[in-house]
Amino acid sequence: MTIAVVDDEKNIRMAVSSALEKEGFQAVQYADGAAAAAGPEPDLYILDILMPVMDGLSLLRVLRQRGCAVPVMFLTSKDEEFDRVLGLELGADDYLCKPFSMRELIARVHVLLRRSGAAEKGGAAQDAGCVTLGHISLNPQSYTARLDGGPLVLTVTEFRLLRAFIEHAGEVLTREQLISAAYPDDTYLNDRAVDCHIKRLRKKIGSQSIETVYGLGYRFAV
């Protein structure tokens, strides 16, 4: 699998790339977002936020606007909380604060690739068949979705959240239940990240579709 490492600091690019290559991945290095945007699509992006020419947030906007659902992990400084939240709202799947251990980075990379691998290979046998409710239809085997008959572009995380909502339409789902549905095998997610993904999902399917039940969680309106 190919992983794009996008960071203007050469030492960080080389260190991350070396750790990835020791795990058997192919690492492609970029010094800025514009170069990465022009390059071939990898299986995963690891992005710094502050970079010249095109920063990480701008690159993420470009990727998501052109329908790229490849997982994205941000490398951020501890004092960049606003940027981390904005990144999640734009479609990032994870973030890691600097300084970080390569062991934790590799663990998170494996988690993200396991999730995206399900999208490429299709769901298990028990997932066969479309899931439909109202104007939304999901195909668990191909991880594709349709809204009012037209294509609905979702990241893997958004797809899994929407599937959980549809399968439990009318029921209140806690954040813990949504984390379990959208991030199997992932121990790093927090409630704020779930809220960001749901905010983005609402923009795609309509804000009235997902209701907030204060003090409990969220409910998909039937």
Side-chain angles (χ1 to χ4, degrees), residues 19-31:
L20 292 170
E21 288 168 353
K22 287 180 181 178
E23 288 290 311
F25 299 111
Q26 179 182 354
V28 181
Q29 299 182 38
Y30 298 100

Side-chain angles (χ1 to χ4, degrees), residues 8 12-13 27 31 43 58 66 99 110-112 140 156 169 196 206:
D8 62 322
I12 292 179
R13 287 202 316 272
D43 297 292
S58 298
R66 69 188 188 193
H110 281 294
V111 167
L112 290 173
V156 174
C196 289

Side-chain angles (χ1 to χ4, degrees), residues 11 22 30-31 45 48 68 103 105 107 113-114 117 132 139 146 156 177 181 187 189 211 213 219:
N11 290 341
K22 287 180 181 178
Y30 298 100
Y45 286 95
D48 186 28
C68 173
R103 183 176 180 180
L105 181 142
L113 289 174
R114 278 199 299 271
T132 302
N139 187 324
R146 301 188 72 80
V156 174
Q177 288 174 308
T187 60
L189 192 72
E211 301 173 346
V213 182
R219 176 173 52 216

Side-chain angles (χ1 to χ4, degrees), residues 6-219:
V6 191
D7 198 307
D8 62 322
E9 295 186 43
K10 184 177 180 180
N11 290 341
I12 292 179
R13 287 202 316 272
M14 294 182 66
V16 171
S17 297
S18 177
L20 292 170
E21 288 168 353
K22 287 180 181 178
E23 288 290 311
F25 299 111
Q26 179 182 354
V28 181
Q29 299 182 38
Y30 298 100
D32 61 74
E41 188 174 293
D43 297 292
L44 171 70
Y45 286 95
I46 297 178
L47 308 180
D48 186 28
I49 289 183
L50 298 177
M51 294 183 291
V53 185
M54 178 186 289
D55 61 37
L57 293 173
S58 298
L59 173 57
L60 179 59
R61 285 191 184 95
V62 170
L63 294 175
R64 295 312 188 215
Q65 286 172 358
R66 69 188 188 193
C68 173
V70 169
V72 171
M73 178 168 65
F74 271 122
L75 302 180
T76 75
S77 298
K78 288 185 178 180
D79 59 350
E80 294 175 335
E81 180 179 358
F82 173 78
D83 285 341
R84 291 199 299 272
V85 172
L86 179 57
L88 291 169
E89 291 177 346
L90 291 173
D93 296 276
D94 199 2
Y95 64 85
L96 188 59
C97 291
K98 301 175 183 178
F100 53 85
S101 72
M102 289 300 172
R103 183 176 180 180
E104 182 177 2
L105 181 142
I106 294 299
R108 293 186 182 219
V109 164
H110 281 294
V111 167
L112 290 173
L113 289 174
R114 278 199 299 271
R115 280 191 257 148
S116 63
E120 295 170 3
K121 298 175 183 177
Q126 63 267 29
D127 291 334
C130 290
V131 178
T132 302
L133 182 65
H135 59 305
I136 299 175
S137 178
L138 306 179
N139 187 324
Q141 288 189 320
S142 62
Y143 268 59
T144 55
R146 301 188 72 80
L147 175 68
D148 292 324
L152 175 62
V153 179
L154 301 172
T155 65
V156 174
T157 302
E158 293 166 353
F159 185 96
R160 288 180 171 174
L161 282 173
L162 184 53
R163 180 181 176 185
F165 278 126
I166 290 177
E167 290 180 341
H168 298 276
E171 302 175 20
V172 177
L173 296 178
T174 65
R175 288 178 173 83
E176 290 74 19
Q177 288 174 308
L178 292 170
I179 289 173
S180 178
Y183 291 86
D185 305 319
D186 192 337
T187 60
Y188 302 109
L189 192 72
N190 57 41
D191 290 352
R192 187 66 178 275
V194 171
D195 293 340
C196 289
H197 287 300
I198 289 175
K199 180 179 179 180
R200 201 169 65 251
L201 188 56
R202 280 171 163 162
K203 291 181 179 179
K204 293 184 177 183
I205 66 173
S207 59
Q208 297 80 14
S209 299
I210 302 174
E211 301 173 346
T212 299
V213 182
Y214 294 98
L216 294 176
Y218 295 95
R219 176 173 52 216

